[in-house]
Amino acid sequence: VPLVRVVFVMDATQEEGTQDPSHAHAQEGAVWEGGWDGLPGVRSPSALPSRRPREEVQPQSRGGKTARGLEYRVHFHTADEAPAEDDVTLVTQCSVDRLPSLISALVRWQGPVSVAIYLRSVEDDIATLRLALDRNALLRKWASVHVMFPARTSYPVNPLRNLALQQATTSTVLLVDVDFVTSGSMLEFQNVMKDQQTNKTVFVVPAFSSNLDAEQIPRSKDALLKGIAAHTVDPANLCVCTSCHAPTDYPRWYTARTPYEIAYEWMYEPFFLAPHG
């Protein structure tokens, strides 16, 4: 089941991952102030019902510290839709400026999400996060949101990923970065696991890069292969970090119609669908 990467709110003059933080904050203002009305699942502020403070509606929220001393709080928001045990939870992490990417992924995923969000500026980022939750029905419905507070690190990706994974409650998880959109809905990924006779199989999910709009992203392998032939889709990060995804063996995957075993290699960082519990 392929994944395709989308470049969402990003300055076109800069390489991905090198965005100037001050510029990102300026763009963020445009996204929150006016951009939400163009995103799927958004409700304008005037259409929102009155809401109690989130502290009152999330009494189960609790805090703690990681082994590295990073402070966190789980269930800043608990998804309105409680997941079934045999659902698949999309597990990811981000900072608040990447929330539009998460919402874009939710349009297609339509299933439970456990997301850990890094707060760089606590007061401002919490205000932004609450605004996003208030304005976006998809986010409220599917995402259980956990937050980690700033520390002397630029972005603690592994603690964030671990926090989101620990809070997933379903029997299967899909671990991906936040700016990836799945080829299909949660139900399609769920079907991959239904016929498994063992809970020791992990499915590597091939990842691809594209500048296509989210709604243009291929939904089938055949459509994806056409995009590769047309050079509108490419394997993710192979030029930047060959070791990170090369063991997936993309040439073999292009022609494969059944799963095949691959060997782990040092620096391999695949996204994957796996049993959880």
Side-chain angles (χ1 to χ4, degrees), residues 55-63 73-79:
E55 290 86 351
E56 295 180 23
V57 298
Q58 298 297 343
Q60 71 274 44
S61 179
R62 56 183 175 81
R73 181 168 293 277
V74 300
H75 294 290
F76 178 89
H77 170 77
T78 301

Side-chain angles (χ1 to χ4, degrees), residues 5-7 10 14-19 98 179 209 237:
R5 190 168 195 168
V6 194
V7 177
M10 181 69 64
Q14 295 181 314
E15 294 293 328
E16 184 175 0
T18 62
Q19 187 178 13
R98 306 299 283 211
D179 50 353
S209 298
N237 295 331

